[in-house]
Amino acid sequence: MTFIIYNDKLDVVPLWINGEASPLNPKLFFEVVNAQENKTVHYAQGANEADAKAAVDAAAAAFQPWSQTSYSHRRALLLKVADLLEQRAEEIARMQVLETSCAPAFANFLPRLTAPVLREIASQISNCLAGTVCPTETNDTYAFVTKEAVGPVLIISPWNSPTILGTRGIASALAAGCTVVLKGSELCPATYRLIVSVFEDAGLPKGCLNLVQAGRSEAAAVTEAIIAHPELRKVEFIGSAGIGSSIGQVCMKYLKPILMELGGKAPAIITRNANLSKAAQLCAFGAFTHHGQICMSTERIIVVKAVADEFTRLLKEAVEKEFSGGVGSAVTKASSDKVHNLLEGARKNGAKFLVGDNSYTGPHKAGLQPTIVTDLSYDDPLRDTESFGPSATLYVVEDEVEALRLANDTKSGLVASIWTDDAMQGLDMSKGLQFGSVHINSTTINDGPTSAITGTKGSGWGSNSGSFGINEFLVHKTVTLRKSEAPIEFK
């Protein structure tokens, strides 16, 4: 059940708590708007603090039996989720396009990206749950360190890539033996409802995965009510640094640990040894895919002076060839306006547009032309503000040493890339980059099922994906066994 029909005319996405839809409360309905067409496509039931408590209560009641299931049972369930996700990929993609105005190709790609991630998580459960036998000072004592699920957790997942980001977090927590309250984005609640239905249709018991969403005016109170619940043990948040800072403060207030994957200002460094044509092509791809609405988007292109003229020519050609027809729509008109104003402010401060003119696209001005900015002043807000739109800034530097310095001159630290055909140069430079991921000869939009996705600096902390994500939801417990007659000595 994706929708409940209210008064025979409104399609409403319900809250989903303990395996069933909660009663509708029309006072908390909110609209879900397709920005590209500027129309309300359906409604969603917003949560209040009582709903938040009920969701955690359900997760807490389900935790004990779920945490005692075998690793093989959890593995089989996640493998089934992966299969169902592939089977329902088209339905989920259509809903994401409807709610977020993203390009159909991008929405259709996400399930194909997610299924292998789920299968990798499933394959790693037994390894992650393995404990350690520790050496002890005396022969009459044994010490073991075991791993246990941390408890019910809150997953707060964004709108831009729900199929991968929401599903990955849910799967990692369930693999560890945790139960979940999922706070889905208010911009795509039906997409998240479909994702939850995939897990339940795969056989996940009631209460193990509960879905709430909230309108903007209630979101802060609902989030705090979930975090404050005494049974809630940990939070995963993926989103902007600003919201992450606010949620982090709430977690600190209630002494709840939080895993955060926040925004970035990803640099791509073009060395004098780079394959310039391929670098230009993938820098454009990294900057403009999904209207630039990816935390790993290429926001800064840093090119060494010796190859700057040739690379700039190739970059302009790549943008004109691949993106002359536009790059789709922003998720909301307000998002489009925010990016547009950020770039116009840079132009007023003396920056120039190398490619594109930052003009609006679409009948309702919900999209923007892809634009590359040059001659940006150091104190301009665009220098270190994640635009989250189809833009990138081009910098020319004297050498690779200056390129590293400029790349690190940011509060963010999620992902970076280096373009060089000298493998040792690439590896050496990767050591100097203050980012959780560094990709050599590839786009910044890059992650694999087996590797860690880690934020550093202002891009968060902790790791997602594969075994790294499962371990975030496990705690170590030390158990010792001693002969009862053995003396205890303090010297």
Side-chain angles (χ1 to χ4, degrees):
M1 179 197 314
T2 305
F3 300 104
I4 295 176
I5 301 176
Y6 178 75
N7 278 353
D8 296 325
K9 59 182 180 181
L10 298 183
D11 288 341
V12 182
V13 182
L15 306 178
W16 196 258
I17 298 174
N18 201 31
E20 61 184 23
S22 298
L24 296 182
N25 177 2
K27 293 181 179 179
L28 292 175
F29 287 177
F30 60 87
E31 296 178 323
V32 179
V33 177
N34 179 290
Q36 195 167 32
E37 299 182 12
N38 192 31
K39 71 174 185 179
T40 299
V41 292
H42 46 251
Y43 292 79
Q45 173 65 67
N48 57 26
E49 293 179 50
D51 298 318
K53 181 180 183 302
V56 184
D57 286 343
F63 172 67
Q64 191 62 28
W66 176 252
S67 65
Q68 296 305 308
T69 57
S70 68
Y71 75 88
S72 58
H73 175 78
R74 296 179 216 166
R75 180 174 59 200
L77 185 138
L78 292 182
L79 291 174
K80 189 171 183 180
V81 171
D83 292 341
L84 288 176
L85 189 68
E86 289 178 327
Q87 294 170 24
R88 301 180 187 177
E90 188 176 330
E91 178 187 11
I92 295 172
R94 281 199 307 269
M95 188 63 73
Q96 185 181 345
V97 171
L98 179 68
E99 293 188 312
T100 69
S101 301
C102 72
F106 182 77
N108 283 305
F109 168 72
L110 289 180
R112 299 199 305 272
L113 174 68
T114 305
V117 170
L118 289 175
R119 294 184 178 113
E120 176 63 20
I121 291 171
S123 75
Q124 291 297 318
I125 297 175
S126 56
N127 288 335
C128 290
L129 294 177
T132 304
V133 179
C134 303
T136 59
E137 292 292 333
T138 62
N139 291 329
D140 55 16
T141 301
Y142 292 87
F144 313 89
V145 176
T146 62
K147 296 180 183 179
E148 296 182 357
V150 67
V153 299
L154 168 62
I155 305 288
I156 304 176
S157 192
W159 56 266
N160 60 328
S161 299
T163 313
I164 176 64
L165 300 180
T167 305
R168 184 187 67 194
I170 295 166
S172 298
L174 292 175
C178 298
T179 51
V180 177
V181 175
L182 172 65
K183 184 176 180 293
S185 170
E186 76 281 2
L187 298 178
C188 57
T191 304
Y192 276 110
R193 175 69 197 101
L194 289 174
I195 290 169
V196 170
S197 71
V198 170
F199 279 89
E200 292 195 337
D201 290 348
L204 186 66
K206 291 182 177 182
C208 290
L209 177 56
N210 308 275
L211 174 65
V212 298
Q213 60 268 337
R216 289 292 176 94
S217 58
E218 291 81 26
V222 168
T223 302
E224 181 161 357
I226 296 172
I227 295 171
H229 195 297
E231 295 292 340
L232 200 283
R233 293 290 182 259
K234 190 168 184 177
V235 178
E236 174 183 304
F237 173 78
I238 301 178
S240 70
I243 300 298
S245 176
S246 297
I247 293 175
Q249 291 177 61
V250 176
C251 288
M252 179 179 67
K253 177 180 177 181
Y254 296 101
L255 297 179
K256 304 293 175 75
I258 182 170
L259 160 66
M260 292 204 285
E261 182 183 321
L262 307 178
K265 195 71 178 174
I269 297 175
I270 318 301
T271 73
R272 69 193 71 213
N273 299 311
N275 180 329
L276 298 181
S277 177
K278 194 66 175 180
Q281 177 188 349
L282 288 184
C283 281
F285 172 86
F288 304 136
T289 294
H290 194 27
H291 204 262
Q293 299 171 130
I294 302 174
C295 59
M296 298 176 178
S297 292
T298 305
E299 294 241 355
R300 296 179 295 149
I301 303 170
I302 305 169
V303 57
V304 171
K305 185 177 180 180
V307 295
D309 289 345
E310 176 67 5
F311 173 78
T312 300
R313 181 184 66 80
L314 292 168
L315 179 63
K316 291 171 69 174
E317 289 179 358
V319 176
E320 291 166 0
K321 178 181 178 182
E322 301 294 335
F323 299 101
S324 60
V327 289
S329 172
V331 66
T332 65
K333 179 62 167 64
S335 297
S336 180
D337 289 341
K338 182 178 179 180
V339 178
H340 178 81
N341 293 337
L342 189 63
L343 267 64
E344 285 304 313
R347 177 152 62 174
K348 290 178 182 178
N349 288 337
K352 299 175 183 176
F353 292 166
L354 176 71
V355 177
D357 60 4
N358 190 40
S359 59
Y360 286 106
T361 63
H364 302 289
K365 297 184 177 181
L368 292 168
Q369 284 287 353
T371 303
I372 296 178
V373 180
T374 62
D375 297 333
L376 187 69
S377 63
Y378 187 84
D379 58 355
D380 192 280
L382 180 60
R383 185 191 68 82
D384 203 25
T385 299
E386 182 182 32
S387 73
F388 222 61
S391 72
T393 305
L394 179 68
Y395 300 89
V396 177
V397 295
E398 285 295 326
D399 53 27
E400 286 78 7
V401 173
E402 187 181 354
L404 286 175
R405 182 197 61 75
L406 180 57
N408 288 329
D409 187 16
T410 173
K411 59 181 178 289
S412 303
L414 186 60
V415 60
S417 72
I418 302 167
W419 286 90
T420 175
D421 281 344
D422 183 336
M424 288 305 298
Q425 179 189 41
L427 291 174
D428 286 343
M429 290 180 67
S430 72
K431 295 179 183 179
L433 284 169
Q434 300 164 0
F435 295 84
S437 299
V438 178
H439 304 294
I440 302 172
N441 294 333
S442 186
T443 175
T444 57
I445 304 176
N446 190 336
D447 60 66
T450 61
S451 56
I453 300 169
T454 305
T456 64
K457 297 163 65 175
S459 292
W461 51 77
S463 298
N464 283 308
S465 202
S467 61
F468 306 95
I470 299 173
N471 282 319
E472 290 287 348
F473 296 102
L474 294 169
V475 291
H476 293 88
K477 176 183 283 186
T478 296
V479 178
T480 64
L481 174 63
R482 217 163 165 279
K483 295 178 180 178
S484 59
E485 68 275 14
I488 297 177
E489 297 181 1
F490 294 94
K491 296 182 180 179

